[in-house]
Amino acid sequence: MKKILALSLVLMMVLALVLTGCGGSGNQSTTAAATTAAATTAAKTTAAGTTAAATTAAPAPAEIVTVDWYNRDSEIHTKKGYQPWLDWMNEYCGEKAGVNVDYHSLSVSDYEQKVTAVLSAGQPCDILFTSASTLSFPVWQSRDAFAPLDDLMNEYAQETLAIIPEYVWDAARINGVLYAMPTYKDMTTFAPLTYNETIVEAAGLLDTVESMEYYTLYDLNDILYGVKEYRDSQKPEYAKLPVHNASNWDHHYFAYDQLASVAYTAIPGTNGFVEDGYDNGEIVFNKYATKEYEKKALYIKQLVDDSILAYDWKNLGDTAKTWWQDGVYVTSLGWGDVSVEADKYEGYTMAIKMPKLSFTGTAYIRAVMQAINNASADENKVASMKLLNLLYSDEMVSTSYHFGAPELGWKTTEIDGMTYATFEGTYNEDPKDRGYYYWYHAEAG
């Protein structure tokens, strides 16, 4: 496993296009993945609506191999655009690579139990989702469940090998052998501070926020207490309510590389773990037994006691979702945000402060991966790799996975000499009634 150095002072967010899924039959589905409203997305297609990859001539394969793919996926088969997407994808993948897919879309809660039963019973299963936690990658690799991929990739997935950096592949290697394909999505973690600029300026803290160097939540202590003091002075009735809206991910407090389960190493160059011997990243330790984790727990208790953070988010009382508008919340920590719409909010403006620390680690890259079943027939392993190569490298397949069949779920339009995907005149035109729309889908990148 490769230790990955932190990327400090410069934020690196890798923005890949998307990964895809060719579907056959859907089973149970999970809740919808997080989506972001957007009018258009750059698809880098030609004016005719096809990519350079799509226009490359390829002879029709003599035989179609159908592979079974089990994915911890979203509600794909419940969408009205599912069947047209399925028909287009299987036709396209069949012509390009001689592959069709019997697609099994399983919910987050059902995935591990059902796939474990499938594997144990020896039922058909060629491609399967695995991660650091769900269908645990190191555990199931030790059970010989995953096929070695190096030779398959070298022969059938040169395009994908060229796209993804070596350090990403290294996170999916065990004893030097590649056993899964990480989805090439955002590859670093960082938590930007978003804040009500109107209130922060009124509190006399705007210059402080704009000029500070922010690495972890500890650096925000003066800001958090400053905005609370001002808010409470203006509206004393809010004094017992939290001023900061955020979850308590460990990444807000220190950087680490999670190898597996409770096995962690420090990331050299960060101001995270300072105990003797941890800073060089060569000692594996249990994060929950460290002084840093104890410090974090005590600090959170302090913030809760002082009404900076909430104790019980679920039953807090913001049932109308108006606390930002009302000025109860003034600050928040996001996840991967790079900008805000300053004029989006009525009566106040929002701003963003980027942290000085961005980092990645083994478990973060392993959070979303696709593997090939080691028990599959050789021809199915080859077909699976050909399909995964399309999923990772073909832009028509990528765009269609997220927005459905071309011309039905998305179209192309020319703007200033650039070709974009547009939803006008498609079943995704109405943001409140999408036919098949997955802007960001972790299981697919």
Side-chain angles (χ1 to χ4, degrees):
M1 302 176 188
K2 182 178 180 181
K3 295 188 290 291
I4 301 168
L5 297 179
L7 303 173
S8 59
L9 304 181
V10 178
L11 288 169
M12 180 189 76
M13 184 174 183
V14 180
L15 299 176
L17 253 177
V18 281
L19 302 183
T20 59
C22 296
S25 62
N27 288 348
Q28 306 223 346
S29 59
T30 184
T31 55
T35 58
T36 303
T40 62
T41 180
K44 293 185 178 179
T45 56
T46 67
T50 59
T51 64
T55 57
T56 301
E63 182 180 353
I64 301 295
V65 178
T66 299
V67 297
D68 281 86
W69 183 16
Y70 284 80
N71 202 8
R72 190 194 72 177
D73 216 323
S74 196
E75 298 176 334
I76 287 179
H77 65 279
T78 67
K79 301 299 182 182
K80 60 186 178 184
Y82 171 77
Q83 193 60 46
W85 165 81
L86 167 65
D87 295 339
W88 180 88
M89 290 292 278
N90 268 336
E91 179 180 1
Y92 186 88
C93 293
E95 292 177 354
K96 292 281 287 188
V99 183
N100 277 184
V101 179
D102 190 3
Y103 190 84
H104 307 267
S105 179
L106 302 175
S107 69
V108 174
S109 59
D110 289 341
Y111 180 81
E112 185 154 14
Q113 180 181 0
K114 291 193 174 182
V115 172
T116 297
V118 167
L119 293 174
S120 299
Q123 297 176 7
C125 175
D126 299 302
I127 304 173
L128 60 159
F129 171 89
T130 181
S131 74
S133 55
T134 303
L135 202 74
S136 173
F137 175 65
V139 171
W140 282 88
Q141 186 280 330
S142 68
R143 297 174 180 173
D144 201 31
F146 305 139
L149 300 184
D150 291 286
D151 291 343
L152 286 168
M153 292 207 67
N154 286 328
E155 187 167 356
Y156 302 106
Q158 286 292 328
E159 295 84 356
T160 299
L161 280 174
I163 291 172
I164 300 180
E166 189 63 27
Y167 78 89
V168 179
W169 295 120
D170 285 346
R173 294 184 184 277
I174 295 180
N175 295 327
V177 179
L178 183 67
Y179 287 100
M181 297 173 66
T183 56
Y184 191 38
K185 54 185 186 64
D186 47 318
M187 286 289 107
T188 65
T189 67
F190 58 94
L193 173 72
T194 54
Y195 56 94
N196 184 322
E197 189 176 40
T198 306
I199 295 179
V200 169
E201 184 174 19
L205 294 168
L206 187 58
D207 289 342
T208 303
V209 172
E210 291 179 346
S211 63
M212 71 179 180
E213 291 195 344
Y214 158 46
Y215 290 87
T216 67
L217 193 139
Y218 299 115
D219 299 319
L220 305 179
N221 193 70
D222 292 344
I223 302 299
L224 298 178
Y225 279 89
V227 294
K228 176 173 170 52
E229 181 179 3
Y230 175 80
R231 183 203 67 177
D232 294 354
S233 70
Q234 301 300 304
K235 296 186 177 182
E237 65 272 22
Y238 292 169
K240 295 298 182 181
L241 297 177
V243 72
H244 185 66
N245 177 275
S247 300
N248 287 306
W249 296 305
D250 292 335
H251 303 88
H252 290 173
Y253 301 87
F254 44 77
Y256 58 77
D257 184 1
Q258 181 183 351
L259 304 179
S261 185
V262 295
Y264 297 80
T265 58
I267 299 180
T270 69
N271 54 348
F273 292 91
V274 297
E275 295 183 49
D276 291 342
Y278 287 180
D279 59 342
N280 62 12
E282 295 180 356
I283 295 179
V284 178
F285 57 85
N286 175 4
K287 175 188 66 176
Y288 303 101
T290 63
K291 295 176 182 177
E292 278 74 16
Y293 192 81
E294 179 184 21
K295 176 184 177 181
K296 171 205 167 182
L298 293 174
Y299 184 53
I300 290 174
K301 183 181 185 304
Q302 173 191 325
L303 295 179
V304 170
D305 289 345
D306 295 340
S307 296
I308 302 294
L309 290 176
Y311 173 77
D312 183 1
W313 291 100
K314 184 177 181 181
N315 301 302
L316 196 54
D318 184 22
T319 54
K321 306 298 182 184
T322 61
W323 280 9
W324 277 107
Q325 290 83 346
D326 297 340
V328 176
Y329 293 137
V330 181
T331 61
S332 178
L333 286 184
W335 186 267
D337 301 319
V338 295
S339 66
V340 295
E341 297 180 57
D343 58 350
K344 179 180 178 180
Y345 308 90
E346 185 176 351
Y348 65 99
T349 59
M350 294 290 288
I352 191 169
K353 176 70 178 184
M354 303 304 290
K356 294 290 186 178
L357 178 66
S358 177
F359 63 95
T360 192
T362 306
Y364 190 68
I365 297 174
R366 287 182 176 183
V368 182
M369 301 194 296
Q370 301 294 338
I372 295 177
N373 189 355
N374 201 29
S376 294
D378 288 345
E379 67 172 6
N380 286 53
K381 291 177 182 177
V382 170
S384 295
M385 180 53 67
K386 289 181 178 179
L387 172 65
L388 289 172
N389 186 50
L390 276 181
L391 300 176
Y392 280 64
S393 65
D394 188 295
E395 293 172 0
M396 282 296 288
V397 176
S398 300
T399 307
S400 296
Y401 178 86
H402 282 255
F403 306 127
E407 301 303 317
L408 297 177
W410 61 282
K411 299 179 180 180
T412 57
T413 184
E414 292 290 322
I415 304 176
D416 296 331
M418 295 289 291
T419 305
Y420 294 85
T422 178
F423 304 123
E424 293 182 9
T426 72
Y427 52 57
N428 287 322
E429 184 172 20
D430 183 357
K432 297 180 180 179
D433 185 27
R434 303 286 197 189
Y436 183 108
Y437 181 96
Y438 297 93
W439 180 262
Y440 181 84
H441 186 192
E443 285 73 13

